[in-house]
Amino acid sequence: MPISGFPEWLPPQRMIEQYALDKIRSTFELYGFAPLETRAVEPLETLLSKGETSKEVYLLRRLQEEDPSARSDDQLGLHFDLTVPFARFVTENHGKLQFPFRRYQIQKVWRGERPQEGRYREFLQADIDVVNRDTLPFHFDTEMPLVIGDAFRSLPIPRAVIQVNNRKVCEGFYRGLGLSDTAQVLRTVDKLDKIGPEKVAAALVETAGATDAQAQACLKLAEISASDGSFVDRVRALGVDDPLLDEGLSELLQVVETAGEHAPGLVRAELKIARGLDYYTGTVYETQLVGYERFGSVCSGGRYETLASVGNTRFPGVGISIGVSRMFGILFGQNALSVSRSVPTCVVVAVPSDDRRGDCERIAMALRRRGIPTEVAPTAAKFGKQIQFADRRGIPYVWFPGAPSSGAAASDTVKDIRSGEQVEADAATWEPPAADLKPVVSAS
């Protein structure tokens, strides 16, 4: 019986996901990110200190726990993202790490959200982060979109657009307007796509102490969007001054211009982006797939200055996370991806008779040793049925062992069951075309 919010892919979908993970992992490593895996649980106190997540954390407890309702210092919860456990890992291991430390992490996370298409309670994320001791040069913020852009371009998915903002722009603007509770304003504006401008304006008046004019100014800032540096003049035209605003505009301009040079069309400044987690302090990213904007972001992250610290030493970082399950759940739901066969197998070795299964296994082993995915037919049925067995799963080749004859064995043959072509073959030397060796993932 399915459980809402806990997806299980069919084998063809899982092959597509694994293909994508291989491409993503390869891209991360091309940029010098090292692999890391952290534990699935963190102290509840740590999880609750990182933003509005208290309703989303899954607790971990034993079935026979004496008082499951009791709160204690050692209570554990499943992590809701990979950034918080990464920050904890850095503080515990900083003496063993070389800084700046670049890592990628591909793991499951858990959130007690309301399940919907592309949004799950258990899902896979693929993160990259860079952290440094004391200060982190800003050029790492400009690098993040380039890594993700390369990863997405390696996949048969719709074009991605990374929307970028800087919290310093927003906070400086709100401060320049005279709004003191900038964190509340950020949280409220972040709901713009969900509840619309009228309700956001009303919420700003009610929860952040804004006047109607201040609320409208916040909405005007959130309307600004540009794929080049023109957003700076549009912000200036709103007539608000603040040093933090100036700093944020300068940083955001660097991200947009760097991306424009290396990957035109990849990045767009989108001044309504805020991100809901409290630990972000500067650059923030959200990514949409063209044609799938209604589903929201499939890749997000940002800069954090104070998430990790030991004594007086801070470890600022910047990171971005691909919502792997989210992205592929959306694409699977729209039948946007396909795979050329439902199993990894390239060759089925036909079994002429049960007493020759040993010969067939030896042929299969010879092919496997050379990296050719091979299985032996399950029964010594008529060859027509063995060919059907391969065809139903999209396996392109059937191998027929040569019949023993007086003095020497007849040659083996291999048949491309798509074209019907059948040729003599030797398991020690035969190679399938490169395109047939592994299943091919493509856009539907």
Side-chain angles (χ1 to χ4, degrees):
M1 176 179 175
I3 301 177
S4 179
F6 293 82
E8 292 178 324
W9 305 140
L10 292 168
Q13 295 171 322
R14 178 59 175 157
M15 285 198 295
I16 292 171
E17 184 181 60
Q18 286 183 317
Y19 168 86
L21 291 175
D22 287 342
K23 292 288 188 179
I24 291 168
R25 185 183 298 110
S26 175
T27 303
F28 290 170
E29 292 184 355
L30 280 174
Y31 277 83
F33 291 89
L36 180 67
E37 181 166 326
T38 58
R39 65 199 185 202
V41 297
E42 296 293 334
L44 184 59
E45 181 182 15
T46 301
L47 296 173
L48 296 184
S49 66
K50 306 305 178 184
E52 295 186 322
T53 58
S54 59
K55 294 180 181 179
E56 299 179 1
V57 174
Y58 280 110
L59 293 179
L60 190 72
R61 67 179 181 85
R62 291 184 298 112
L63 179 63
Q64 299 299 325
E65 194 167 332
E66 293 181 5
D67 185 2
S69 64
R71 291 288 296 270
S72 62
D73 292 339
D74 60 354
Q75 205 162 13
L76 300 176
L78 294 170
H79 56 221
F80 59 81
D81 74 355
L82 299 179
T83 306
V84 171
F86 173 59
R88 188 265 311 155
F89 178 88
V90 169
T91 60
E92 290 181 1
N93 295 278
H94 64 94
K96 305 171 187 175
L97 303 176
Q98 297 295 318
F99 292 97
F101 178 49
R102 302 162 69 87
R103 83 84 174 84
Y104 74 87
Q105 198 166 339
I106 301 175
Q107 280 183 248
K108 290 282 184 74
V109 300
W110 295 267
R111 290 184 193 173
E113 296 185 299
R114 182 174 65 85
Q116 51 190 295
E117 188 171 13
R119 191 173 292 279
Y120 305 110
R121 291 171 172 169
E122 177 185 69
F123 52 98
L124 189 66
Q125 287 191 180
D127 283 27
I128 49 171
D129 283 82
V130 182
V131 296
N132 201 30
R133 192 187 300 270
D134 298 324
T135 60
L136 181 71
F138 187 77
H139 64 78
F140 290 110
D141 292 48
T142 70
E143 181 187 36
M144 290 289 140
L146 304 183
V147 183
I148 297 302
D150 279 359
F152 280 4
R153 275 190 295 272
S154 73
L155 303 175
I157 62 175
R159 184 171 70 87
V161 175
I162 302 177
Q163 301 173 334
V164 186
N165 195 8
N166 193 302
R167 281 200 171 186
K168 295 175 185 176
V169 171
C170 302
E171 292 182 29
F173 186 87
Y174 304 151
R175 205 164 66 182
L177 282 175
L179 294 169
S180 57
D181 192 355
T182 57
Q184 180 60 43
V185 179
L186 272 171
R187 285 193 292 269
T188 305
V189 172
D190 196 41
K191 300 174 182 176
L192 198 54
D193 287 341
K194 295 180 181 178
I195 65 175
E198 289 185 9
K199 290 184 178 179
V200 165
L204 288 172
V205 172
E206 182 179 343
T207 65
T211 65
D212 289 337
Q214 288 171 327
Q216 290 304 312
C218 293
L219 291 177
K220 287 185 181 299
L221 179 72
E223 290 173 359
I224 295 174
S225 171
S227 56
D228 57 20
S230 62
F231 69 88
V232 176
D233 290 336
R234 294 174 63 186
V235 174
R236 297 292 186 204
L238 297 178
V240 175
D241 291 312
D242 186 87
L244 189 62
L245 173 62
D246 296 339
E247 185 180 336
L249 287 173
S250 174
E251 291 182 352
L252 184 55
L253 184 62
Q254 287 185 59
V255 176
V256 172
E257 289 185 338
T258 300
E261 177 184 350
H262 294 283
L266 174 65
V267 164
R268 185 171 74 236
E270 194 73 59
L271 271 59
K272 66 182 178 182
I273 301 300
R275 303 294 302 131
L277 294 169
D278 289 346
Y279 53 69
Y280 292 122
T281 56
T283 309
V284 287
Y285 315 95
E286 288 194 354
T287 307
Q288 294 184 340
L289 299 180
V290 174
Y292 293 81
E293 291 86 354
R294 67 189 183 279
F295 294 105
S297 179
V298 297
C299 174
S300 57
R303 159 77 70 136
Y304 46 91
E305 296 290 340
T306 58
L307 188 59
S309 61
V310 177
N312 293 326
T313 304
R314 291 186 303 117
F315 299 94
V318 63
I320 193 165
S321 171
I322 300 172
V324 177
S325 300
R326 175 170 173 74
M327 180 169 69
F328 284 103
I330 292 167
L331 295 174
F332 292 157
Q334 301 299 308
N335 295 314
L337 295 172
S338 61
V339 65
S340 59
R341 55 186 187 256
S342 62
V343 292
T345 312
C346 176
V347 181
V348 168
V349 180
V351 180
S353 60
D354 286 332
D355 62 357
R356 295 207 52 203
R357 181 168 291 276
D359 295 336
C360 299
E361 293 288 358
R362 282 187 284 274
I363 292 167
M365 290 303 298
L367 292 169
R368 291 173 191 141
R369 278 194 292 269
R370 297 174 43 249
I372 301 170
T374 307
E375 60 181 283
V376 178
T379 65
K382 291 180 179 180
F383 280 161
K385 289 190 175 181
Q386 296 190 53
I387 291 172
Q388 284 180 349
F389 169 78
D391 185 48
R392 280 197 300 269
R393 297 187 297 159
I395 299 169
Y397 296 98
V398 176
W399 190 284
F400 298 98
S405 60
S406 57
S411 297
D412 292 358
T413 59
V414 63
K415 182 173 185 175
D416 182 337
I417 63 174
R418 299 161 299 182
S419 67
E421 181 183 9
Q422 187 164 339
V423 297
E424 291 189 2
D426 183 341
T429 58
W430 179 82
E431 293 279 354
D436 290 336
L437 184 61
K438 294 183 178 180
V440 176
V441 176
S442 58
S444 298

